[in-house]
Amino acid sequence: MDSARPHERPTAFDRMLAPLHRWIWSDTDRRVQKLLRFGETETDGGRDILRAAEVTSDPLLRRLYLEHAIDEFRHGVLFRRRAAALLKVAPSASNAGFQGDWLAPGGHGLDDLQVDGEPDSDMLAFLHLSEKAAASRFSVYRDVMQHDPPTRAVFEEILHDEAFHMNYTLTQLARVEPKRHRRHLWRARLSRLWKAYLRLATGLAGILGSMLLTIQYFVLLPPFAWLAKRAARRERLGWTSSGRSDSLDREY
Ligand SMILES: [Fe+2]
Ligand SMILES: [Fe+2]
């Protein structure tokens, strides 16, 4: 982490989660799954930023968004290529298990991006915070990837672009909204916080749901199974009358 430049320094929260990330990335299957998902997120983000370039009326922003979109598409390719290289060396098992995605969604957060109808100021504030979060997380991922130098190099390369994206979006936000850019940033921060809460709550609800179902399986099902077995033991073998003694004495 000493090698991190000031703009690439991870947040305290991401630093705190570094041991968890180290564990998640230590497994090759999980690494492949995460790289593939990151590749998807980057490409989707690039597509949305390309749409932002189409809808903005600001010529400078259009050019910057285009460069940004090309970067994100390239990141998607880099992640997918690295995942493919890992798969060639060690074919993936079907289930990669826990990946902690609700702690760090796709590394980037660009999947929450909504382009149409958004003013440039809101778009830039959202992009700035997403890129800042990506730069913070990717610097942690790079640092915990000591055991896999090629994947580490991918994060290192992408990190430089994310830092550029983080900086240009802030500069442009201050240009288009010189007086109210801080307010836009706070609004975007609150929106991200709310989405992070929803993600966390969904993740916790999933864990709690699994725990409750497991408890139900082991606590509620055994008595029913026992009752069913007891009833089966009492059942007489073969055809039995339903209790109406005349039923066999008549034609219908
Ligand atoms: Fe990216
Ligand atoms: Fe980016």
Side-chain angles (χ1 to χ4, degrees):
M1 280 187 203
D2 295 335
S3 61
R5 277 156 271 196
H7 55 272
E8 294 170 5
R9 213 162 271 157
T11 61
F13 181 69
D14 286 332
R15 276 203 307 271
M16 194 179 78
L17 291 178
L20 177 66
H21 291 308
R22 185 172 288 113
W23 174 76
I24 289 171
W25 286 96
S26 64
D27 180 84
T28 310
D29 282 343
R30 276 198 296 263
R31 212 175 319 147
V32 168
Q33 296 300 327
K34 280 193 92 71
L35 287 169
L36 287 173
R37 198 156 316 124
F38 281 14
E40 210 173 295
T41 309
E42 297 281 328
T43 306
D44 285 350
R47 213 170 286 133
D48 288 335
I49 295 164
L50 199 58
R51 175 72 187 143
E54 281 175 359
V55 297
T56 184
S57 55
D58 186 316
L60 177 57
L61 280 185
R62 185 172 304 123
R63 191 173 63 77
L64 286 165
Y65 283 160
L66 273 175
E67 282 179 24
H68 189 162
I70 290 166
D71 283 346
E72 301 300 353
F73 286 131
R74 198 169 60 83
H75 297 170
V77 172
L78 285 171
F79 279 133
R80 276 194 296 276
R81 269 194 199 148
R82 183 60 200 137
L86 280 171
L87 273 175
K88 269 187 198 158
V89 179
S92 177
S94 55
N95 185 9
F98 176 78
Q99 296 181 37
D101 284 340
W102 43 282
L103 288 168
H108 213 296
L110 278 180
D111 39 354
D112 293 330
L113 186 59
Q114 286 172 352
V115 177
D116 290 302
E118 286 283 304
D120 284 334
S121 48
D122 286 348
M123 180 76 189
L124 286 165
F126 181 91
L127 280 177
H128 170 68
L129 295 179
S130 297
E131 300 296 336
K132 197 173 174 181
S136 168
R137 283 185 197 133
F138 287 176
S139 65
V140 171
Y141 299 158
R142 176 200 56 190
D143 292 339
V144 301
M145 214 66 73
Q146 310 283 359
H147 56 286
D148 182 351
T151 308
R152 182 183 161 94
V154 167
F155 278 115
E156 180 76 50
E157 185 177 346
I158 291 176
L159 186 53
H160 292 166
D161 290 342
E162 305 302 10
F164 166 70
H165 300 158
M166 179 181 98
N167 291 333
Y168 99 78
T169 43
L170 185 62
T171 311
Q172 293 306 311
L173 178 60
R175 178 179 69 84
V176 298
E177 282 286 0
K179 289 190 180 140
R180 297 193 308 160
H181 66 280
R182 284 183 200 284
R183 190 190 299 179
H184 284 286
L185 280 175
W186 274 109
R187 220 167 56 189
R189 239 173 235 134
L190 288 175
S191 160
R192 279 179 67 86
L193 209 63
W194 173 244
K195 281 170 185 160
Y197 162 74
L198 288 180
R199 202 165 48 238
L200 197 72
T202 309
L204 284 177
I207 291 173
L208 285 176
S210 305
M211 281 167 63
L212 277 175
L213 281 175
T214 309
I215 291 169
Q216 279 182 11
Y217 181 81
F218 286 107
V219 174
L220 292 181
L221 276 187
F224 282 107
W226 179 76
L227 284 171
K229 269 186 187 168
R230 200 180 66 159
R233 272 199 302 272
R234 287 180 178 176
E235 196 87 4
R236 275 189 282 166
L237 290 173
W239 285 99
T240 53
S241 135
S242 61
R244 289 165 59 192
S245 55
D246 60 337
S247 62
L248 294 175
D249 301 332
R250 298 185 310 174
E251 196 170 348
Y252 299 104

